Amino acid sequence: LFSGVTSANETLSDYINKHCKTRCVSEMQLLTATVKTAEALDIDFRILIAIAKLESGFKPMARNAQSFGLMQVNYPVHKRKFTSKNIVDPFQNVRVGGIIFKECLNRSRGNIRIAFRCYNGFGKGGDPQYVIKALKTFQEVKHLTI
């Protein structure tokens, strides 16, 4: 009944393992990529962890149509933001996903709900429930022991 609830002492590693069984990003890669990106963009790194969970289930090699990696970045749309050809590299992919989220946050004047909707491309085929899922996942991540 409460399998989706994050316990008070659940670690990020536990959380990744709960949501990803094979070919998962390591806790250290995810933390390093999200913290470094978040510091550079002045956003909460836990937002980026939540997006990675929702978008790829913590799988760096995830692909859906033209979207790739942990953050499911649409490569044709955002290719100029990449600084290397390895678009599924966790550090590169999280950096670009973070830039996209920050652009969405700026456009929404800091409204996280609108920024999540923007990131998912709602109105352009995105998931109408994405904002609810994103806010729930962000709350789960906030309660992890990191």
Side-chain angles (χ1 to χ4, degrees):
L1 179 67
F2 295 104
S3 63
V5 176
T6 303
S7 68
N9 56 0
E10 185 175 17
T11 67
L12 177 57
S13 182
D14 295 335
Y15 191 72
I16 292 169
N17 292 329
K18 181 166 72 174
H19 297 285
C20 181
K21 301 301 177 204
T22 60
R23 299 186 186 136
C24 312
V25 68
S26 75
E27 175 186 31
M28 188 54 67
Q29 278 185 315
L30 185 62
L31 262 180
T32 303
T34 57
V35 169
K36 185 176 180 180
T37 298
E39 286 176 353
L41 298 172
D42 192 30
I43 57 177
D44 189 329
F45 75 98
R46 297 169 301 185
I47 289 170
L48 301 176
I49 292 173
I51 292 171
K53 188 255 183 182
L54 284 175
E55 294 289 338
S56 68
F58 298 121
K59 294 181 186 235
M61 300 304 290
R63 179 178 182 184
N64 183 6
Q66 296 178 321
S67 297
F68 297 87
L70 286 169
M71 307 295 278
Q72 288 296 284
V73 175
N74 185 312
Y75 182 70
V77 173
H78 299 287
K79 64 183 168 189
R80 289 194 175 115
K81 293 177 174 85
F82 284 92
T83 57
S84 88
K85 297 286 183 200
N86 187 357
I87 63 174
V88 296
D89 171 69
F91 301 99
Q92 185 72 213
N93 197 267
V94 168
R95 186 186 68 77
V96 174
I99 291 168
I100 295 164
F101 185 81
K102 181 67 175 192
E103 289 170 354
C104 289
L105 200 57
N106 288 343
R107 273 190 237 129
S108 70
R109 296 187 176 134
N111 185 315
I112 194 169
R113 289 174 167 273
I114 296 171
F116 277 132
R117 186 170 70 192
C118 166
Y119 188 89
N120 183 246
F122 183 68
K124 299 175 187 168
D127 178 357
Q129 296 297 309
Y130 190 85
V131 172
I132 293 166
K133 293 174 189 174
L135 291 170
K136 178 183 179 275
T137 303
F138 181 43
Q139 288 304 312
E140 288 175 2
V141 173
K142 279 182 167 183
H143 291 95
L144 296 175
T145 301
I146 297 178

